[in-house]
């Protein structure tokens, strides 16, 4: 049995990626492993102030409103979850009884002590933007892994998908790598690539890459079950290769748009919720049949106010 500790971000990509791992463990007839989830909701100030705020509003703000509404009409235990049908983080806890908790800082003494008590065999960071330090990295017995949205050692740092698109890559890559005390410097276990689809958003490409990394992680489970440490599965990076990218400038973002790329594509909201959760139409049909709580009613009002931009008028 392998106890998997997922560190996820409180947004759409983090939730869907977590569901892929949870489904692999609990969605089959025989449950051989265990999953626990710690969620981070770190939002940098610059994310609210720059052109990229449209992504944050899409993947986090609107998604959390959507989740509140979904949780009002469906209890996790009542959902027939067969991949790719996903559950919210709250619903995952309801359905499978797994430990799900939000944390503010993975490196503080309280969190490190809690994780130590959980005794995870392996930790897997899925989109959580926290920087992990030595105490927490050393807790999982078989190591700590991260899904990075860039084919390391190239495209280290932030906004790996956006940088790859900007720099003319025809295939967009990601890396499953060991977490060490550096930033994106650990040994690489596996790289994956998907074809660039220019009509699709940065967000869409990111999600597809996180799911690729999940498949790679699932493929490691037999080795982890045999007690193989992740440090013995990867290849060290050449520190002289690759460039580190920081927060994109306004000039970069303007040129990115000029090149014909999209940070988000509004109609993908219905596409992604239909594929992985409930379509907007089905959700609103269910909402009409129940009385919402005050909090859910507030989320519904906000969601409806923003809804027109996310619905394809051609549909």
């Amino acid at each position: 049995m392998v106890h998997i500790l997922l560190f996820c971000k409180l947004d759409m990509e983090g939730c869907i990626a977590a569901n892929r791992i949870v489904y692999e463990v609990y969605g089959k007839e025989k449950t051989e492993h265990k999953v626990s989830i710690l969620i981070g909701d770190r939002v940098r100030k610059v994310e609210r102030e720059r052109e990229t705020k449209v992504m944050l509003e899409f993947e986090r703000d609107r998604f959390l409103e959507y989740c509140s509404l979904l949780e009002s009409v469906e209890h996790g235990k009542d959902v027939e979850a067969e991949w790719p049908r996903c559950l919210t983080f709250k619903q995952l806890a309801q359905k499978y009884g797994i430990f799900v908790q939000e944390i503010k800082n993975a490196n503080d003494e309280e969190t490190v002590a809690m994780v130590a008590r959980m005794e995870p065999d392996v930790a897997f960071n899925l989109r959580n933007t926290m920087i992990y330090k030595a105490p927490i990295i050393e807790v999982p017995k078989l190591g700590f892994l991260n899904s990075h949205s860039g084919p390391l050692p190239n495209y280290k740092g932030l906004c790996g998908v956006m940088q790859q698109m900007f720099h003319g890559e025809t295939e967009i890559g990601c890396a499953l790598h060991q977490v060490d005390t550096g930033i994106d410097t650990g040994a690489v276990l596996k790289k994956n690539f998907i074809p660039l689809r220019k009509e699709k958003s940065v967000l869409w490409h990111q999600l597809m890459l996180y799911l690729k990394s999940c498949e790679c992680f699932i493929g490691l489970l037999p080795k982890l079950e045999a007690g193989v440490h992740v440090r013995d599965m990867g290849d060290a990076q050449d520190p002289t290769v690759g460039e580190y990218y920081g927060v994109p400038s306004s000039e970069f973002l303007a040129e990115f748009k000029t090149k014909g790329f999209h940070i988000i594509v509004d109609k993908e909201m219905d596409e992604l919720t239909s594929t992985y959760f409930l379509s907007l139409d089905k959700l609103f049909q269910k909402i009409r049949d129940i009385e919402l709580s005050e909090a859910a009613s507030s989320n519904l009002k906000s969601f409806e106010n923003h809804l027109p931009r996310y619905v394809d008028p051609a549909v």
Side-chain angles (χ1 to χ4, degrees):
M1 191 274 283
V2 178
H3 182 187
I4 304 160
L5 176 58
L6 300 179
F7 285 85
C8 301
K9 192 170 185 178
L10 188 61
D11 67 5
M12 179 183 285
E13 299 104 294
C15 185
I16 293 173
N19 269 267
R20 181 63 191 94
I21 302 298
V22 170
Y23 176 73
E24 187 65 26
V25 173
Y26 297 101
K28 309 295 180 67
E29 290 185 5
K30 185 180 179 182
T31 299
E32 298 179 344
H33 308 300
K34 175 183 177 181
V35 175
S36 301
I37 303 176
L38 296 180
I39 307 167
D41 190 26
R42 178 189 176 199
V43 177
R44 302 180 185 90
K45 184 179 179 182
V46 69
E47 292 181 81
R48 290 287 186 197
E49 297 175 341
R50 304 289 292 282
E51 294 87 339
T52 51
K53 69 180 182 180
V54 294
M55 180 181 286
L56 183 65
E57 291 168 353
F58 184 114
E59 68 189 3
R60 181 193 178 280
D61 299 348
R62 300 290 80 75
F63 179 67
L64 295 185
E65 292 168 353
Y66 173 90
C67 287
S68 171
L69 299 173
L70 189 59
E71 290 160 2
S72 296
V73 300
E74 291 186 338
H75 190 281
K77 287 185 177 181
D78 299 327
V79 180
E80 292 295 329
E82 183 171 347
W83 182 256
R85 177 62 158 95
C86 292
L87 305 176
T88 69
F89 285 116
K90 180 179 179 179
Q91 289 174 329
L92 286 174
Q94 291 172 338
K95 186 170 185 66
Y96 301 111
I98 61 179
F99 180 79
V100 178
Q101 182 167 312
E102 189 170 333
I103 59 172
K104 292 184 177 180
N105 184 350
N107 300 296
D108 63 33
E109 291 184 6
E110 182 180 352
T111 301
V112 173
M114 177 183 68
V115 172
R117 290 193 299 271
M118 295 168 68
E119 298 184 326
D121 294 298
V122 64
F124 184 22
N125 185 62
L126 279 171
R127 189 163 168 70
N128 200 323
T129 54
M130 296 178 186
I131 303 299
Y132 300 97
K133 299 181 180 179
I136 194 72
I137 293 172
E138 295 166 358
V139 172
K141 291 180 286 187
L142 300 178
F144 204 130
L145 292 168
N146 177 54
S147 174
H148 178 71
S149 298
L152 298 173
N154 296 313
Y155 298 103
K156 299 182 185 75
L158 304 177
C159 304
V161 167
M162 191 180 295
Q163 291 290 351
Q164 291 177 76
M165 296 168 77
F166 182 87
H167 286 91
E169 305 289 357
T170 57
E171 290 189 319
I172 308 300
C174 64
L176 180 65
H177 71 96
Q178 182 182 4
V179 175
D180 59 17
T181 53
I183 299 177
D184 301 332
T185 54
V188 176
L189 283 71
K190 181 73 174 179
K191 299 181 192 180
N192 274 290
F193 294 85
I194 59 173
L196 169 68
R197 292 182 57 183
K198 196 169 183 179
E199 80 279 8
K200 306 300 286 185
S201 68
V202 171
L203 183 151
W204 183 90
H205 286 89
Q206 285 181 170
L207 174 58
M208 296 305 114
L209 290 176
Y210 284 123
L211 292 177
K212 285 285 188 182
S213 288
C214 287
E215 296 300 330
C216 291
F217 178 83
I218 290 167
L220 299 178
L221 285 175
K223 288 185 177 181
L224 292 168
E225 194 169 15
V228 180
H229 198 284
V230 298
R231 64 169 171 262
D232 299 320
M233 301 184 199
D235 298 315
Q237 295 187 50
D238 182 344
T240 67
V241 175
E243 186 171 351
Y244 183 92
Y245 294 92
V247 177
S249 66
S250 295
E251 292 75 19
F252 172 95
L253 295 171
E255 188 172 350
F256 183 83
K257 184 176 181 180
T258 300
K259 288 176 178 283
F261 296 121
H262 314 281
I263 295 175
I264 65 165
V265 173
D266 289 336
K267 67 180 181 180
E268 287 177 359
M269 174 66 77
D270 198 34
E271 174 190 335
L272 293 174
T273 53
S274 297
T275 300
Y276 296 104
F277 298 93
L278 275 186
S279 69
L280 298 179
D281 281 346
K282 289 182 178 179
L283 176 62
F284 281 106
Q285 286 173 9
K286 290 196 172 193
I287 288 173
R288 284 194 288 268
D289 296 331
I290 66 167
E291 183 176 346
L292 293 175
S293 67
E294 185 177 343
S297 296
S298 176
N299 284 321
L300 175 61
K301 183 176 181 180
S302 176
F303 194 74
E304 285 183 320
N305 286 340
H306 293 91
L307 189 61
R309 69 176 294 179
Y310 298 121
V311 177
D312 186 352
V315 176

